[in-house]
Amino acid sequence: DGGITQSPKYLFRKEGQNVTLSCEQNLNHDAMYWYRQDPGQGLRLIYYSQIVNDFQKGDIAEGYSVSREKKESFPLTVTSAQKNPTAFYLCASSITGGNGYTFGSGTRLTVV
Amino acid sequence: GESVGLHLPTLSVQEGDNSIINCAYSNSASDYFIWYKQESGKGPQFIIDIRSNMDKRQGQRVTVLLNKTVKHLSLQIAATQPGDSAVYFCAEHPYFGNEKLTFGTGTRLTIIP
């Protein structure tokens, strides 16, 4: 089955540590996205990539970094510079042509 | 649309009744609109979409209405079931070929048994 996989589902991090969230898709989608969702709130765009080796900042990129070395993979690193990283992180992908996004099942990050 | 970061509006509906969820979009040039459903702890799932050359589209128990004059989108769910309880997001596509969607704040729908 084609899909988009995020791992891990739950992640705990100590303050001051960097952590990387994985996102892999086998849908042959060109574009990939990372969103942050806080409890009871909507989706905020962190970073997106429309092609391999290229990515752009979204609305809340500070304290985050990404890479897009392969079409299938778009990992997100939450750095120690992110002041309030506890949130639910969603990865999505899409084809060129406007058919909407396919979302992963999310990673819940908690800073302890 | 509503600004991101605001807490979700809520809607409670008796099981078996119809529900209507509304969304105001921001860009008059948007040509494609999508409704997503997000259950607790899961990623959003596609429900139904509509292109700007249509004003109504029906799916199984769901209907999307588009009013371009007032930039308004609505999702009607018929004969609601407990499994319909979720957060519903509208999304707009600025123009064909640009894949970056703009999401509305979302509405939390609760079905009362």
Side-chain angles (χ1 to χ4, degrees):
Chain A
D1 280 341
I4 181 166
T5 302
Q6 289 185 243
S7 61
K9 189 170 177 62
Y10 300 96
L11 189 56
F12 296 88
R13 189 196 89 175
K14 291 184 180 178
E15 278 194 37
Q17 288 182 339
N18 293 352
V19 64
T20 298
L21 283 58
S22 170
C23 180
E24 303 275 334
Q25 54 97 0
N26 61 2
L27 299 165
N28 200 34
H29 286 175
D30 290 306
M32 297 186 75
Y33 314 81
W34 275 106
Y35 285 87
R36 170 181 173 137
Q37 187 174 35
D38 291 287
Q41 296 188 20
L43 305 175
R44 292 189 287 170
L45 181 65
I46 305 172
Y47 267 99
Y48 65 104
S49 167
Q50 294 185 317
I51 196 168
V52 174
N53 292 322
D54 188 44
F55 48 83
Q56 287 79 40
K57 293 182 179 180
D59 302 318
I60 56 164
E62 185 176 349
Y64 300 97
S65 66
V66 293
S67 62
R68 187 86 187 278
E69 297 175 3
K70 298 186 300 181
K71 187 176 185 178
E72 301 79 20
S73 178
F74 191 40
L76 173 74
T77 296
V78 185
T79 75
S80 57
Q82 169 48 235
K83 296 190 184 343
N84 185 20
T86 294
F88 188 53
Y89 290 88
L90 285 161
C91 180
S93 67
S94 71
I95 61 171
T96 303
N99 285 337
Y101 295 178
T102 301
F103 282 89
S105 55
T107 292
R108 187 168 300 280
L109 173 63
T110 303
V111 174
V112 295
Chain B
E2 297 92 342
S3 300
V4 293
L6 295 176
H7 283 271
L8 298 174
T10 59
L11 175 66
S12 295
V13 174
Q14 204 73 36
E15 182 180 353
D17 287 352
N18 299 336
S19 68
I20 300 176
I21 299 169
N22 296 303
C23 176
Y25 65 92
S26 57
N27 190 339
S28 57
S30 292
D31 72 338
Y32 178 59
F33 304 87
I34 309 165
W35 279 100
Y36 286 92
K37 173 185 180 183
Q38 185 181 24
E39 296 176 87
S40 182
K42 298 183 179 179
Q45 291 182 297
F46 172 93
I47 302 174
I48 192 167
D49 59 1
I50 189 167
R51 297 230 172 252
S52 59
N53 59 353
M54 304 172 69
D55 53 20
K56 180 179 180 179
R57 189 163 188 227
Q58 289 184 291
Q60 187 176 15
R61 285 199 308 117
V62 294
T63 301
V64 55
L65 299 177
L66 175 63
N67 185 333
K68 294 183 286 294
T69 302
V70 294
K71 293 190 289 185
H72 184 267
L73 195 65
S74 68
L75 176 70
Q76 300 177 355
I77 306 175
T80 53
Q81 304 168 356
D84 294 330
S85 292
V87 174
Y88 291 81
F89 291 99
C90 65
E92 61 181 298
H93 214 257
Y95 54 86
F96 189 78
N98 180 338
E99 296 79 15
K100 195 156 75 72
L101 296 174
T102 300
F103 287 88
T105 307
T107 297
R108 182 178 301 281
L109 175 65
T110 301
I111 306 303
I112 305 166

